[in-house]
Amino acid sequence: MFNVFVSYSRADSAQAAVLDAWLTSQGLRTFLDRRELGAGQLWLPDLERAIETEAAALIVLCGPGGLGNTQQYEAQLGLTRKAREPDFPVVPVLLPCTPDWRWPRGFLSLQTWVSFATTRDVREDPAALQRLAAAVRRESAEADAVRGLVCPYKGLDAFQEEDGGLFFGRAVETEALHATIAEHRFAAVVGRSGSGKSSLARAGLLPRLRAGAQAAGRREVWDSLVLRPGQEPLVALAGALSPPLPGEDEAARYLRLRGLAAGLRTEDPDVLSGLLRHRLAQSRLAVDRLLILLDQGEELFARPLHLLGDAAAQRRFDADAEYLIALLLKAVSQGSASLVLTMRSDFFDPLQSSAFGDMLKGSLVTLRRVGDLRACIEGPAEAVGLRFAPPGLVDRILEEVGTDESNLPLLQHALKRTWEGRDGAVLSANAYIRSGGVEQAINRAAEACFAGLRADEAALNELASALRSNVVLFSEYLERGRQSTATNNGKSE
């Protein structure tokens, strides 16, 4: 038997080792996978047994890179046990230098959090270490205030997988996306900017897959790769395949990924399929399914601004984008992976004209107005013990949002500002009005930011210079987007 199971991402191995050593020094027996699991054996049965029956508590370490694939599965096992045994401690632990947008909001229903986020090393906060030990031992201790500092609304940030517990209002679309992937192994999520495409894939589909859909009488175990094409699509793919090495700085990582990207530029279209098969074969978690999420896929068809004046660089970018598409489709066709693509609807025409076009029939999931917008507003508040007052406030917010699905980021931002002005557990009409509401919250935040810039003349001059130097390129970029939108007017989304 173990006092505590330590769940951590490989990127956070060093901090996990420090916490493990400290907990052991306090007389606690810890389950740390690299010590308790034998070399070469499959981990899944042992992980399940340790969390479901052998460990008296679970701590989930969240670092700057978020939760890892195995952690998502471990956390789900722990929360399932907690639903069965309410006294079972599941404790999110924020590691040093973890930004607030990475804090796992899906755990906000849990009462005990421990944070080292403002430190450089967990040993710098002895009080937090003592709170952690007390939580593991199920002892009464001073409540950690961090849970009350985590907003249940995402503002302008997309939902991440670990935010799934606060993702409301898209249940129908989540099931449609899950069914599409199950049938075709490919799905394209298309919608207007701000309609929640990334959030649906990350916080809707991924938790749904990991929840353990039954296939042929057995539990499916999913791995996932998430990439955004960005300015160098093959470097992005290399980054998804190869996580940061311990102690690796950004410059070293970029140079290493460029080398891996060069290795992907072969005449062998099976190279990615081979890498993915190897990844599954080497997994000690007994992973049998792999999902690739190609997020913001429109970046494959919109050349980066800095390339617009360089014809040769544009050709290289286009070739890499086309090659990435070919690699992904080959992996899907060979059964090595399933693929979800998110795409802005104003880029639907180039999507249809690309190699993806033949895959779209029966595989298109279109996002329009949220069917249950009230749940988007009330669900996160109720999950953490907040309420709106007066009761008619939610109706007012719904009226301001209207029927335009692209207002969702404005809604989330206004709710985040309302939360910042809350009165205890009450999200009041006064706080909502002070935020500016759906229509003005962004404007007020921008005005406050600009006011800060005006106080810093050097920063303001630097911004003005940068805007002047890029105005021509930006105009060309907007014109490209306008032409694409015009091409698609009249097409059904």
Side-chain angles (χ1 to χ4, degrees):
M1 298 295 289
F2 300 89
N3 297 111
V4 59
F5 185 106
V6 181
S7 172
Y8 67 98
S9 168
R10 292 295 171 269
D12 302 319
S13 296
Q15 293 288 351
V18 172
L19 275 175
D20 175 71
W22 187 86
L23 290 168
T24 301
S25 75
Q26 303 301 300
L28 295 168
R29 187 182 178 196
T30 63
F31 185 106
L32 195 70
D33 56 12
R34 63 189 183 196
R35 182 181 60 240
E36 302 298 335
L37 300 178
Q41 72 186 74
L42 291 178
W43 287 9
L44 183 60
D46 295 306
L47 288 179
E48 290 181 334
R49 183 171 59 253
I51 296 174
E52 292 177 344
T53 62
E54 295 180 351
L58 169 68
I59 62 172
V60 183
L61 310 188
C62 180
L67 302 186
N69 276 311
T70 303
Q71 277 190 290
Q72 301 284 358
Y73 185 66
E74 292 166 347
Q76 189 173 74
L77 288 173
L79 292 174
T80 300
R81 179 175 171 184
K82 186 170 182 63
R84 186 175 67 247
E85 304 172 27
D87 292 336
F88 176 69
V90 178
V91 184
V93 178
L94 305 179
L95 293 178
C97 304
T98 301
D100 61 359
W101 66 272
R102 271 295 189 189
W103 295 2
R105 285 162 171 78
F107 293 126
L108 278 178
S109 60
L110 304 176
Q111 295 299 314
T112 303
W113 287 50
V114 177
S115 177
F116 301 94
T118 59
T119 69
R120 293 169 298 177
D121 187 285
V122 296
R123 290 164 291 197
E124 295 177 5
D125 193 341
L129 287 171
Q130 292 298 331
R131 286 195 296 273
L132 177 58
V136 167
R137 295 186 178 114
R138 309 190 190 191
E139 298 173 352
S140 60
E142 179 185 351
D144 198 319
V146 64
R147 177 177 177 267
L149 298 177
V150 185
C151 178
Y153 300 103
K154 291 290 289 185
L156 299 181
D157 294 322
F159 283 78
Q160 304 299 315
E161 181 177 356
E162 46 265 38
D163 302 320
L166 296 174
F167 184 65
F168 291 88
R170 288 289 196 189
V172 172
E173 292 86 349
T174 297
E175 288 304 314
L177 180 54
H178 181 262
T180 302
I181 278 293
E183 182 176 355
H184 301 288
R185 297 202 306 275
F186 172 81
V189 181
V190 178
R192 296 174 62 186
S193 179
S195 59
K197 303 177 293 296
S198 297
S199 295
L200 176 69
R202 292 172 185 252
L205 177 64
L206 285 175
R208 175 69 174 82
L209 293 174
R210 294 192 203 275
Q214 296 300 317
R218 62 185 177 86
R219 187 186 185 94
E220 292 179 343
V221 179
W222 284 81
D223 190 4
S224 66
L225 291 175
V226 179
L227 67 143
R228 175 180 168 179
Q231 299 183 359
E232 298 180 81
L234 291 182
V235 172
L237 176 59
L241 291 168
S242 180
L245 301 175
E248 185 177 42
D249 63 31
E250 288 298 321
R253 173 168 167 74
Y254 175 70
L255 292 175
R256 181 172 64 85
L257 294 182
R258 293 229 18 206
L260 293 175
L264 291 170
R265 293 186 187 93
T266 70
E267 297 301 320
D268 179 9
D270 294 331
V271 61
L272 178 59
S273 299
L275 288 171
L276 297 179
R277 287 194 296 269
H278 178 75
R279 179 189 178 97
L280 292 179
Q282 294 300 309
S283 171
R284 296 174 67 186
L285 192 59
V287 171
D288 51 12
R289 301 294 300 273
L290 175 65
L291 179 80
I292 299 175
L293 170 57
L294 180 61
D295 202 8
Q296 299 194 34
E298 63 272 3
E299 292 180 342
L300 292 171
F301 308 112
R303 295 167 181 156
L305 282 173
H306 73 277
L307 299 184
L308 291 180
D310 187 336
Q314 290 179 29
R315 288 192 295 271
R316 286 194 298 272
F317 175 84
D318 291 343
D320 280 358
E322 291 175 6
Y323 191 56
L324 174 62
I325 294 172
L327 290 174
L328 293 172
L329 291 180
K330 190 70 171 180
V332 172
S333 69
Q334 293 188 349
S336 302
S338 299
L339 174 66
V340 171
L341 164 74
T342 69
M343 177 75 64
R344 269 177 28 205
S345 54
D346 50 320
F347 281 84
F348 186 78
D349 188 59
L351 170 65
Q352 202 168 27
S353 301
S354 74
F356 284 128
D358 293 337
M359 303 283 290
L360 294 178
K361 185 176 181 180
S363 300
L364 197 61
V365 177
T366 303
L367 291 194
R368 296 188 176 88
R369 188 174 188 272
V370 178
D372 191 0
L373 194 57
R374 182 178 292 273
C376 292
I377 300 170
E378 295 179 336
E382 292 173 356
V384 297
L386 300 174
R387 62 184 177 85
F388 287 88
L393 175 57
V394 174
D395 294 324
R396 172 179 174 173
I397 296 172
L398 288 169
E399 184 178 346
E400 289 190 11
V401 175
T403 60
D404 188 346
E405 68 272 18
S406 65
N407 279 338
L408 289 176
L410 303 181
L411 168 64
Q412 284 285 325
H413 183 73
L415 291 173
K416 182 177 182 179
R417 294 292 183 183
T418 302
W419 175 85
E420 291 171 354
R422 69 195 182 283
D423 181 12
V426 176
L427 302 172
S428 67
N430 286 337
Y432 180 73
I433 292 169
R434 287 195 301 269
S435 78
V438 172
E439 296 178 352
Q440 293 297 322
I442 289 286
N443 289 344
R444 293 190 182 181
E447 289 168 359
C449 180
F450 186 70
L453 280 176
R454 292 181 65 182
D456 187 342
E457 186 175 350
L460 189 59
N461 289 337
E462 182 179 350
L463 175 62
S465 177
L467 288 173
R468 282 194 298 268
S469 64
N470 285 283
V471 67
V472 174
L473 290 177
F474 189 60
S475 297
E476 292 180 12
Y477 185 79
L478 290 178
E479 178 63 16
R480 178 183 175 90
R482 185 195 65 76
Q483 292 173 354
S484 177
T485 302
T487 300
N488 286 284
N489 281 343
K491 288 182 180 282
S492 172
E493 294 182 358

